Amino acid sequence: MSTEIHNAPPKAPTWLGWVLMIGGIIGLILSVIIMAEKLAILEDPGHITSCDFNAVLACGDVMRSGQANAFGIPNPLIGIAGFAAVAIIGAGILAGGRFRGWFWFGAQVGLTFAMMFCHWLAYQSMSVIRALCPYCMGVWTVSIIMFVLVTAWNVKTFSGSDSTFVNALYKYKWVIAIVWLLLIAAAAVWSFRYMF
Protein backbone atom coordinates (compact mmCIF):
# COMPACT_ATOMS: atom_id res chain seq x y z
CA MET A 1 0.00 0.00 0.00
CA SER A 2 2.70 2.51 0.94
CA THR A 3 4.66 1.57 -2.20
CA GLU A 4 1.59 2.32 -4.35
CA ILE A 5 1.15 5.72 -2.70
CA HIS A 6 4.84 6.49 -3.10
CA ASN A 7 4.71 5.62 -6.81
CA ALA A 8 1.46 7.53 -7.48
CA PRO A 9 1.68 10.20 -10.17
CA PRO A 10 1.83 13.79 -8.91
CA LYS A 11 -1.48 15.58 -8.45
CA ALA A 12 -1.72 18.69 -10.59
CA PRO A 13 -3.11 21.76 -8.80
CA THR A 14 -6.75 22.67 -9.25
CA TRP A 15 -5.86 26.05 -10.77
CA LEU A 16 -4.04 24.26 -13.60
CA GLY A 17 -7.12 22.14 -14.25
CA TRP A 18 -9.27 25.26 -14.53
CA VAL A 19 -6.76 27.00 -16.80
CA LEU A 20 -6.56 24.03 -19.16
CA MET A 21 -10.30 23.38 -19.22
CA ILE A 22 -11.33 27.02 -19.69
CA GLY A 23 -8.43 27.77 -22.08
CA GLY A 24 -9.20 24.62 -24.05
CA ILE A 25 -12.89 25.51 -24.33
CA ILE A 26 -12.13 29.09 -25.42
CA GLY A 27 -9.61 27.84 -27.99
CA LEU A 28 -12.07 25.21 -29.22
CA ILE A 29 -14.88 27.77 -29.65
CA LEU A 30 -12.58 30.17 -31.51
CA SER A 31 -11.31 27.34 -33.75
CA VAL A 32 -14.88 26.32 -34.60
CA ILE A 33 -15.75 29.94 -35.46
CA ILE A 34 -12.65 30.26 -37.66
CA MET A 35 -13.50 26.95 -39.38
CA ALA A 36 -17.09 28.10 -40.00
CA GLU A 37 -15.83 31.36 -41.52
CA LYS A 38 -13.31 29.44 -43.62
CA LEU A 39 -16.10 27.19 -44.97
CA ALA A 40 -18.23 30.25 -45.73
CA ILE A 41 -15.33 31.72 -47.74
CA LEU A 42 -14.90 28.45 -49.65
CA GLU A 43 -18.61 28.47 -50.46
CA ASP A 44 -18.67 32.16 -51.35
CA PRO A 45 -15.27 33.73 -52.17
CA GLY A 46 -16.79 37.17 -51.63
CA HIS A 47 -17.98 36.37 -48.11
CA ILE A 48 -17.24 39.11 -45.57
CA THR A 49 -16.28 37.52 -42.25
CA SER A 50 -17.71 38.59 -38.92
CA CYS A 51 -14.32 40.04 -37.92
CA ASP A 52 -13.56 42.07 -41.05
CA PHE A 53 -13.46 45.53 -39.48
CA ASN A 54 -10.83 47.47 -41.43
CA ALA A 55 -7.56 47.10 -43.34
CA VAL A 56 -5.74 45.81 -40.23
CA LEU A 57 -8.40 43.65 -38.56
CA ALA A 58 -9.31 41.63 -41.61
CA CYS A 59 -9.94 37.95 -40.92
CA GLY A 60 -10.88 37.29 -44.51
CA ASP A 61 -7.41 38.24 -45.75
CA VAL A 62 -5.84 35.89 -43.21
CA MET A 63 -8.23 33.01 -43.96
CA ARG A 64 -7.71 33.31 -47.72
CA SER A 65 -3.91 33.16 -47.39
CA GLY A 66 -1.81 30.08 -48.02
CA GLN A 67 -0.64 30.23 -44.41
CA ALA A 68 -4.21 29.36 -43.32
CA ASN A 69 -3.57 25.82 -44.59
CA ALA A 70 -0.03 25.39 -43.29
CA PHE A 71 -0.05 21.58 -43.30
CA GLY A 72 -2.35 21.07 -46.27
CA ILE A 73 -5.50 21.25 -44.13
CA PRO A 74 -7.26 24.27 -42.61
CA ASN A 75 -5.40 25.36 -39.46
CA PRO A 76 -8.56 25.45 -37.31
CA LEU A 77 -8.92 21.67 -37.69
CA ILE A 78 -5.64 21.34 -35.78
CA GLY A 79 -6.99 23.76 -33.19
CA ILE A 80 -10.27 21.87 -32.80
CA ALA A 81 -8.45 18.61 -32.08
CA GLY A 82 -5.75 20.14 -29.89
CA PHE A 83 -7.97 22.38 -27.77
CA ALA A 84 -10.52 19.61 -27.23
CA ALA A 85 -7.70 17.40 -25.89
CA VAL A 86 -6.45 20.16 -23.58
CA ALA A 87 -9.95 20.82 -22.23
CA ILE A 88 -10.34 17.11 -21.47
CA ILE A 89 -7.01 17.09 -19.60
CA GLY A 90 -8.20 20.06 -17.55
CA ALA A 91 -11.50 18.34 -16.77
CA GLY A 92 -9.57 15.20 -15.81
CA ILE A 93 -7.48 17.19 -13.30
CA LEU A 94 -10.62 18.74 -11.80
CA ALA A 95 -12.16 15.26 -11.52
CA GLY A 96 -9.18 14.13 -9.44
CA GLY A 97 -7.19 12.47 -12.19
CA ARG A 98 -3.43 12.03 -11.87
CA PHE A 99 -1.17 11.70 -14.90
CA ARG A 100 2.29 10.21 -15.14
CA GLY A 101 5.40 12.03 -16.31
CA TRP A 102 5.23 10.63 -19.85
CA PHE A 103 1.69 12.01 -20.18
CA TRP A 104 2.81 15.48 -19.07
CA PHE A 105 5.77 15.22 -21.45
CA GLY A 106 3.30 14.60 -24.29
CA ALA A 107 1.16 17.55 -23.18
CA GLN A 108 4.30 19.71 -23.07
CA VAL A 109 5.27 18.69 -26.61
CA GLY A 110 1.75 19.49 -27.86
CA LEU A 111 1.62 22.89 -26.17
CA THR A 112 5.15 23.71 -27.35
CA PHE A 113 4.09 22.95 -30.92
CA ALA A 114 0.99 25.14 -30.45
CA MET A 115 3.07 28.00 -29.06
CA MET A 116 5.64 27.83 -31.88
CA PHE A 117 2.91 27.54 -34.52
CA CYS A 118 1.11 30.58 -33.07
CA HIS A 119 4.32 32.60 -33.23
CA TRP A 120 4.90 31.60 -36.84
CA LEU A 121 1.32 32.59 -37.67
CA ALA A 122 1.73 35.89 -35.78
CA TYR A 123 4.86 36.67 -37.80
CA GLN A 124 3.12 35.76 -41.04
CA SER A 125 0.11 37.92 -40.15
CA MET A 126 2.19 40.94 -39.21
CA SER A 127 4.94 40.75 -41.83
CA VAL A 128 3.62 38.85 -44.85
CA ILE A 129 -0.20 38.89 -44.94
CA ARG A 130 -0.31 42.34 -43.34
CA ALA A 131 -3.64 41.70 -41.60
CA LEU A 132 -4.76 40.43 -38.22
CA CYS A 133 -7.55 38.04 -37.31
CA PRO A 134 -9.05 38.77 -33.83
CA TYR A 135 -10.21 35.17 -33.47
CA CYS A 136 -6.69 33.96 -34.26
CA MET A 137 -5.23 36.38 -31.73
CA GLY A 138 -7.55 34.85 -29.13
CA VAL A 139 -6.13 31.44 -30.03
CA TRP A 140 -2.58 32.79 -29.66
CA THR A 141 -3.46 34.21 -26.24
CA VAL A 142 -4.86 31.02 -24.69
CA SER A 143 -2.10 28.91 -26.28
CA ILE A 144 0.68 31.04 -24.82
CA ILE A 145 -0.94 31.19 -21.37
CA MET A 146 -1.40 27.41 -21.25
CA PHE A 147 2.13 26.82 -22.54
CA VAL A 148 3.72 29.02 -19.87
CA LEU A 149 1.67 27.60 -17.00
CA VAL A 150 2.11 23.95 -17.97
CA THR A 151 5.84 24.51 -18.55
CA ALA A 152 6.23 26.13 -15.13
CA TRP A 153 4.39 23.26 -13.42
CA ASN A 154 6.23 20.55 -15.37
CA VAL A 155 9.66 22.07 -14.63
CA LYS A 156 8.88 22.44 -10.93
CA THR A 157 7.35 18.96 -10.65
CA PHE A 158 9.61 16.82 -12.81
CA SER A 159 13.00 18.57 -12.95
CA GLY A 160 14.01 17.44 -9.49
CA SER A 161 15.55 20.88 -8.99
CA ASP A 162 14.81 23.45 -6.32
CA SER A 163 16.96 26.14 -7.93
CA THR A 164 16.24 29.86 -7.87
CA PHE A 165 15.40 29.74 -11.59
CA VAL A 166 12.84 26.94 -11.17
CA ASN A 167 11.20 28.64 -8.19
CA ALA A 168 11.12 32.01 -9.98
CA LEU A 169 9.62 30.44 -13.11
CA TYR A 170 6.85 28.89 -11.03
CA LYS A 171 6.26 31.92 -8.82
CA TYR A 172 6.09 34.43 -11.67
CA LYS A 173 4.39 32.24 -14.28
CA TRP A 174 1.44 34.62 -14.70
CA VAL A 175 3.73 37.63 -14.97
CA ILE A 176 5.76 35.83 -17.64
CA ALA A 177 2.61 34.99 -19.63
CA ILE A 178 1.26 38.55 -19.41
CA VAL A 179 4.58 40.17 -20.38
CA TRP A 180 4.90 37.71 -23.28
CA LEU A 181 1.44 38.69 -24.57
CA LEU A 182 2.18 42.39 -24.14
CA LEU A 183 5.34 41.99 -26.23
CA ILE A 184 3.33 40.38 -29.04
CA ALA A 185 0.73 43.15 -28.79
CA ALA A 186 3.51 45.75 -28.96
CA ALA A 187 4.96 44.00 -32.03
CA ALA A 188 1.53 44.12 -33.69
CA VAL A 189 1.10 47.82 -32.95
CA TRP A 190 4.59 48.53 -34.30
CA SER A 191 4.00 46.45 -37.43
CA PHE A 192 0.82 48.37 -38.29
CA ARG A 193 1.84 51.78 -36.89
CA TYR A 194 1.37 53.51 -40.25
CA MET A 195 -2.08 52.04 -40.83
CA PHE A 196 -3.85 53.42 -37.76
Side-chain angles (χ1 to χ4, degrees), residues 39-48 64:
L39 291 174
I41 288 172
L42 291 174
E43 186 176 339
D44 173 16
H47 172 72
I48 298 174
R64 290 181 180 88

Side-chain angles (χ1 to χ4, degrees), residues 122-134:
Y123 171 78
Q124 294 296 318
S125 293
M126 294 178 204
S127 301
V128 180
I129 304 169
R130 300 295 294 159
L132 294 171
C133 166

Side-chain angles (χ1 to χ4, degrees), residues 73-150:
I73 59 172
N75 295 344
L77 290 179
I78 300 170
I80 289 169
F83 285 120
V86 170
I88 290 170
I89 293 171
I93 293 170
L94 295 176
R98 292 172 178 257
F99 305 108
R100 299 200 176 275
W102 63 263
F103 183 91
W104 282 111
F105 176 77
Q108 185 70 60
V109 169
L111 286 168
T112 301
F113 166 78
M115 180 271 300
M116 293 174 68
F117 190 38
C118 286
H119 281 72
W120 180 78
L121 290 171
Y123 171 78
Q124 294 296 318
S125 293
M126 294 178 204
S127 301
V128 180
I129 304 169
R130 300 295 294 159
L132 294 171
C133 166
Y135 297 137
C136 302
M137 290 187 289
V139 168
W140 305 346
T141 300
V142 294
S143 296
I144 290 168
I145 289 172
M146 292 190 295
F147 167 78
V148 171
L149 271 57
V150 168

